[in-house]
Amino acid sequence: MPSEIASLTLPLFVPGDRADRFAKAAAAGPDAVIVDLEDAVAPEAKQPARAALAEGLSTMPTGMPVLLRINAAGTQWHEADLAAAARLPLAAVLLPKAESADDLRRVAGRCGCPVVALIETAAGLHRAVEIAGASARLAFGSIDFAADLAMGHTRQSLLAARSTLVMAARLAGQPAPIDGVTTAIHDAERIADDCAHAVELGFSGKLLIHPAQIAPARRGFAPTQAEIDWAARVLAATKDGAATRVDGAMVDAPVIRRAGQIMARRPAPAERSDTCP
């Protein structure tokens, strides 16, 4: 799997029929841009949007990973989306309503690139381990999932589903999954808190719907200064790998591993002034 998909943390959606926004989305500083041919594009606009993709993507800066969210298998637009994707320089295709490993393998074969499976239904969650094994990464379409089950879109109601996806990714040997969107655009505190909650559950990314969400999302995924200080003390005290005590608590191999994971989540030096307390 390409490292750009494995390490993807904050991809930003942009409507597929707004080619004028592709480069602007990339310039906002996400980890990748997801050009959306599904929910963001009205049925009558899908064909023109598809036809303009190559020209629109030519404006993207070099090195910015681009994913294409196609329409779901079984829809009237799916086959044309696959044909278009096969002609584009994509980092991955995002398949919505993913419910079948066979669909994932078929899409990957047709498009010639990795496929990220967007789990948005009860059937998709039920087959999450199977789907994870046939895809490059899992992502959670939490709003569609809540609608599919006629449930609230709350942390409590979605806890079991989120935990199931994290477990499925781990069993498949995948990177941790990407969490669903936060609908609030300018509520920085909520966005950061939602991302911290995602980290707590074992997610390593978040789908974003507006450039204003990028900075608070990065803060939410970065460890706090207290976590960094604790991890540094643990690693300094256990250089020989032996069990010891730090801050009055026993530290052994799993705790050392946790400390290493926290340190790995620190933002790059150029970003730290904006992301760390």
Side-chain angles (χ1 to χ4, degrees):
M1 181 200 332
S3 61
E4 60 191 6
I5 300 302
S7 62
L8 191 60
T9 301
L10 298 177
L12 174 65
F13 279 108
V14 62
D17 59 348
R18 294 300 306 269
D20 58 309
R21 295 184 183 177
F22 291 1
K24 293 178 182 178
D31 296 329
V33 170
I34 304 175
V35 176
D36 187 10
L37 289 179
E38 194 209 16
D39 288 346
V41 181
E44 65 274 11
K46 291 185 188 291
Q47 193 283 326
R50 197 184 298 119
L53 283 175
E55 182 178 354
L57 293 183
S58 70
T59 67
M60 297 287 281
T62 301
M64 172 59 65
V66 176
L67 289 75
L68 182 68
R69 178 160 76 169
I70 62 175
N71 287 275
T75 64
Q76 65 189 86
W77 309 285
H78 181 71
E79 290 299 322
D81 286 354
L82 292 180
R87 298 190 295 267
L88 297 171
L90 301 173
V93 164
L94 181 63
L95 180 66
K97 312 292 190 298
E99 296 182 341
S100 161
D102 288 342
D103 283 344
L104 270 297
R105 286 188 281 265
R106 179 179 57 83
V107 170
R110 288 284 301 278
C111 297
C113 64
V115 182
V116 176
L118 189 58
I119 303 298
E120 301 183 281
T121 65
L125 186 68
H126 180 65
R127 304 186 185 105
V129 175
E130 170 191 340
I131 289 170
S135 62
R137 192 95 181 261
L138 294 179
F140 189 28
S142 56
I143 296 176
D144 281 272
F145 182 84
D148 186 50
L149 276 71
M151 64 194 297
H153 189 256
T154 65
R155 289 183 182 179
Q156 181 178 356
S157 66
L158 295 170
L159 177 60
R162 284 189 165 115
S163 297
T164 297
L165 290 184
V166 171
M167 184 71 73
R170 183 68 183 92
L171 291 173
Q174 272 194 3
I178 302 169
D179 195 19
V181 304
T182 293
T183 56
I185 292 175
H186 297 292
D187 188 342
E189 191 67 27
R190 178 180 168 187
I191 294 162
D193 193 54
D194 279 356
C195 290
H197 176 66
V199 172
E200 182 181 25
L201 295 181
F203 285 82
S204 63
K206 180 83 166 172
L207 298 171
L208 304 180
I209 56 174
H210 192 278
Q213 295 181 319
I214 296 172
R218 289 208 186 281
R219 288 197 297 273
F221 274 98
T224 66
Q225 191 60 51
E227 288 176 315
I228 293 171
D229 292 345
W230 172 83
R233 290 195 298 274
V234 167
L235 295 177
T238 57
K239 289 181 180 179
D240 60 359
T244 186
R245 288 187 182 184
V246 174
D247 298 344
M250 180 60 67
V251 171
D252 55 8
V255 178
I256 296 170
R257 184 180 179 187
R258 174 63 179 156
Q261 291 168 342
I262 289 172
M263 297 300 272
R265 284 173 40 225
R266 290 182 302 168
E271 301 172 349
R272 287 180 188 166
S273 61
D274 295 328
T275 57
C276 289

